[in-house]
């Protein structure tokens, strides 16, 4: 059993609550997902549950954590730089379970994860592995210590579609407790039976937590239903209040007028009117108390919305936007060939997605394509890499990064946009290095929008946004009037946005049937 009681996590600097009064209990068989918008404390919560001493230094906390007869295993979202410099063998040697396991036990876990049993003995540097390979390597090492509770921070990041389905099966078959954070809506839909929703309301001044024992789809349906019901009740209450207040105003006005005009020669009538005024004012005080219990308008943390492209996006349907050929795709260091005979043509406002197994070279390919397109003068291309550090300067604030000329009008516009993306004034001026992955993603989305592009080049565009924000991201890209070339394993993104899907293989790009993806 894993039990959290009355947990509150606050920022040390201003004592603002990140998470307030969170309580829940998980037992064997529970698959709980933590959802919430960017910067709401999901990773901080997982770290605290694993070991309170590993919570970030900028927060303080109070609450109880009970772990009864459980062994916790934690898969972190990003490996430390020191680990990336290790070989796979060195990394596994730091795990006591690896040192005490038999080759047969190690092989059994490898088979369970569809991995080569020899990978723990590999001399390959972890930093040279793909994002998906790093995730699988972490999970492999984690299982060697035989945990009963899995705490997984973004385990779906960078996994190919086949491995995502493997991860779904793995989570569903796990006999113990799984508590995870994921931005993959399909994974959450197919696995979670407990939803822990973290929200920050009123410009991030008020924390709200919701725990429901539901599937994600049912949670969304009930959330919308409850929101609509409360909204209708609040509207009805306010309509009744207006009618009541207008009637009260007329009565009060009438009595006031009668008192002002009553003759001094008629004391009996004056007394009756004063008694009536006392009754009317008592009624007003009763109405004020009733108004305190009036149904409030529902609050929720709204998802982001931007428009990508606009009137300046001009890309007619017959324009050959891209005719790309590459005889050989090499690893960045040139030491190994990844694929050959690559050909890709994009005509007009087509939306193209490239998929492929982990490590096949998708990011390497899209970087090369981006380099060519960004130098073109006949189109305006905008690039959102998988690794935001490629284009973001962590030392700058979001405002500093986004400004081009630094004029007062431009700065006002940038601040207004950031405010609409739910940045606080403090976050606008904070170094980008201190922002969450999703907050950095918002900065890049705004950069794309401000550039008025004809073409978007996107490497895993939905990877750092919450399941509640991702439908908005998909709609933004789908409504973009220009061309799109994306690398993505997000099955909903592929289904709802992309016109064509190509799989990158060692022999080049192969056109796929969207309807058959994930069904092989």
């Amino acid at each position: 059993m894993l039990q959290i009681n009355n947990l509150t996590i606050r920022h040390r600097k201003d004592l603002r609550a990140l998470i307030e009064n969170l309580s829940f209990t998980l037992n064997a068989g529970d698959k709980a997902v933590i959802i919430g918008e960017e910067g709401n404390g999901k990773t901080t919560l997982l770290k605290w549950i694993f070991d309170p001493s590993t919570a970030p230094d900028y927060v303080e906390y109070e609450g109880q954590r009970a772990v009864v007869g459980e062994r916790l295993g934690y898969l972190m979202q990003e490996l430390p730089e020191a680990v990336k410099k290790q070989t796979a063998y060195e990394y596994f040697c730091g795990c006591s379970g690896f040192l005490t396991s038999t080759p047969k036990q190690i092989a059994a876990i490898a088979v369970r994860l569809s991995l080569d049993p020899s990978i723990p003995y590999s001399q390959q540097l972890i930093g040279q592995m793909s994002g998906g390979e790093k995730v699988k390597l972490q999970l492999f090492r984690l299982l060697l210590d035989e945990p009963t509770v899995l705490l997984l921070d973004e385990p779906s990041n960078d996994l190919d579609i086949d491995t995502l389905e493997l991860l779904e099966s793995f989570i569903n078959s796990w006999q113990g407790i799984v508590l995870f954070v994921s931005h993959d809506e399909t994974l959450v839909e197919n696995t979670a039976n407990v939803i822990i929703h973290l929200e920050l309301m009123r410009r991030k001044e008020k924390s709200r937590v919701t725990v429901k024992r539901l599937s994600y789809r049912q949670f969304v349906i009930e959330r919308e239903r409850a929101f609509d019901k409360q909204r209708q009740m609040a509207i009805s209450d306010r309509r009744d209040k207006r009618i009541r207040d207008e009637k009260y105003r007329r009565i009060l006005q009438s009595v006031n007028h009668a008192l002002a005009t009553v003759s001094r020669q008629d004391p009996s009538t004056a007394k009756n009117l004063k008694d009536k005024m006392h009754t009317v004012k008592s009624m007003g005080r009763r109405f004020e108390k009733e108004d305190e219990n009036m149904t409030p308008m529902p609050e929720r943390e709204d998802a982001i919305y931007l428009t990508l492209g606009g009137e300046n996006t001009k890309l007619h349907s017959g324009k050959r936007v891209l005719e790309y050929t590459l005889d050989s795709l090499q690893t960045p260091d040139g030491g190994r060939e990844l694929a050959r005979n690559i050909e890709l043509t994009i005509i007009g406002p087509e939306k193209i997605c490239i998929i492929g197994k982990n490590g096949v070279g998708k990011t390497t390919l899209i970087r090369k394509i981006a380099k060519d397109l960004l130098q073109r003068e006949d189109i305006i291309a905008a690039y959102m890499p998988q690794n935001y550090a490629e284009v973001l300067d962590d030392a700058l604030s979001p405002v500093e990064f986004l400004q081009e000329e630094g004029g007062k009008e431009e700065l006002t516009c940038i601040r207004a946009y950031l405010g609409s993306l739910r940045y606080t004034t403090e976050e606008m001026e904070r170094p980008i290095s201190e922002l969450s992955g999703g907050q950095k993603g918002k900065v890049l989305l705004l950069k794309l929008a401000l550039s008025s592009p004809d073409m978007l080049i996107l490497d895993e565009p939905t990877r750092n946004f919450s399941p509640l924000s991702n439908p908005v991201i998909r709609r933004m890209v789908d409504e973009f009037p220009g061309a799109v070339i994306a690398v993505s394993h997000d099955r909903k993104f592929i289904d709802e946005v992309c016109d064509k899907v190509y799989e990158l293989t060692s022999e080049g790009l192969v056109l796929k049937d969207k309807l058959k993806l994930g069904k092989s």
Side-chain angles (χ1 to χ4, degrees), residues 27 84 89 104 178 180 261 357 377 397 402 455 462:
N27 293 295
K84 293 178 183 178
Y89 180 65
K104 184 177 180 180
V178 182
F180 68 104
T261 58
K357 294 189 178 300
E377 296 183 357
S397 70
L402 291 167
M455 182 168 194
T462 60

Side-chain angles (χ1 to χ4, degrees), residues 89 92-102 105-106 144-145:
Y89 180 65
F92 276 87
C93 282
C95 168
S96 59
F98 175 67
L99 300 176
T100 58
S101 296
T102 66
Q105 291 170 322
I106 293 172
L144 287 168
D145 282 331

Side-chain angles (χ1 to χ4, degrees), residues 4-5 42 60 117 120 151 181 191 211 276 309 363 463 505 511:
I4 306 299
N5 291 316
K42 300 183 293 295
E60 59 185 29
L151 307 175
V181 175
T191 58
V211 180
K276 189 172 184 180
T363 291
R463 71 192 297 267
T505 71
L511 184 64

Side-chain angles (χ1 to χ4, degrees), residues 309-502:
E311 294 180 359
N312 295 327
T313 301
K314 297 178 181 178
L315 205 63
H316 62 78
S317 58
K319 181 176 177 63
R320 299 183 80 82
V321 180
L322 180 68
E323 287 187 287
Y324 188 82
T325 60
L326 186 66
D327 292 336
S328 178
L329 178 67
Q330 305 280 332
T331 55
D333 61 5
R336 180 166 60 93
E337 183 179 71
L338 298 168
R340 59 171 70 117
N341 301 325
I342 294 172
E343 296 182 0
L344 181 62
T345 299
I346 298 178
I347 299 176
E350 285 187 309
K351 294 177 172 61
I352 303 298
C353 184
I354 297 174
I355 63 172
K357 294 189 178 300
N358 293 133
V360 75
K362 301 181 296 298
T363 291
T364 302
L365 175 60
I366 204 168
R367 277 188 190 137
K368 285 182 171 293
I369 294 174
K371 184 177 180 180
D372 288 354
L373 287 169
L374 292 171
Q375 294 174 350
R376 294 261 294 272
E377 296 183 357
D378 60 321
I379 60 170
I380 300 173
Y383 175 43
M384 184 177 186
Q386 182 183 137
N387 180 9
Y388 298 156
E390 291 180 32
V391 292
L392 288 177
D393 185 339
D394 275 357
L396 298 179
S397 70
V399 172
E400 291 169 333
F401 173 75
L402 291 167
Q403 68 185 30
E404 295 288 340
E405 301 172 357
K408 184 177 179 180
E409 186 176 340
E410 180 192 33
L411 290 175
T412 300
C413 179
I414 288 171
R415 290 179 186 279
Y417 273 120
L418 288 170
S420 71
L421 295 178
R422 303 190 66 259
Y423 275 85
T424 64
T425 302
E426 181 187 357
E427 288 169 340
M428 294 179 195
E429 303 297 340
R430 185 180 295 170
I432 289 174
S433 61
E434 297 181 14
L435 301 179
S436 70
Q439 288 174 311
K440 292 177 183 179
K442 286 182 180 180
V443 173
L444 278 179
L445 280 176
L446 182 50
K447 185 76 169 179
L448 265 59
L450 293 175
S451 69
S452 298
D454 302 311
M455 182 168 194
L456 300 176
I457 310 156
L458 310 172
D459 192 354
E460 297 288 358
T462 60
R463 71 192 297 267
N464 281 312
F465 295 99
S466 78
L468 294 169
S469 284
N470 267 328
V472 181
I473 304 296
R474 295 195 297 269
R475 185 169 69 249
M476 286 164 54
V477 180
D478 184 51
E479 293 175 354
F480 174 64
V484 175
I485 178 170
V487 168
S488 182
H489 297 127
D490 183 333
R491 288 158 284 183
K492 287 185 179 289
F493 181 88
I494 294 170
D495 181 57
E496 296 175 17
V497 176
C498 303
D499 302 317
K500 294 179 181 177
V501 180
Y502 291 90

Side-chain angles (χ1 to χ4, degrees), residues 11 26 68 72 94 122-123 147 171 227 242 245 247 278 298 306 309 349 361-362 391 399 443 449 458 464 473 508 516:
H11 289 274
L26 299 178
V68 181
L72 306 186
S122 169
Q123 294 301 309
I171 290 175
F227 184 90
R242 284 195 301 270
D245 288 352
K247 184 177 180 180
H278 179 76
L306 277 175
K362 301 181 296 298
V391 292
V399 172
V443 173
L458 310 172
N464 281 312
I473 304 296
K516 294 182 180 179

Side-chain angles (χ1 to χ4, degrees), residues 32 38 88 190 241 265 313 318 322 416:
E38 301 72 31
N190 292 346
K241 180 182 184 305
Q265 308 303 318
T313 301
L322 180 68

Side-chain angles (χ1 to χ4, degrees), residues 197-209:
H197 187 192
L198 308 181
E199 295 179 276
L200 288 175
M201 319 296 292
R202 301 174 194 172
R203 296 195 63 79
K204 301 190 177 182
E205 294 296 327
K206 176 65 177 175
S207 166
R208 182 168 73 187
V209 296

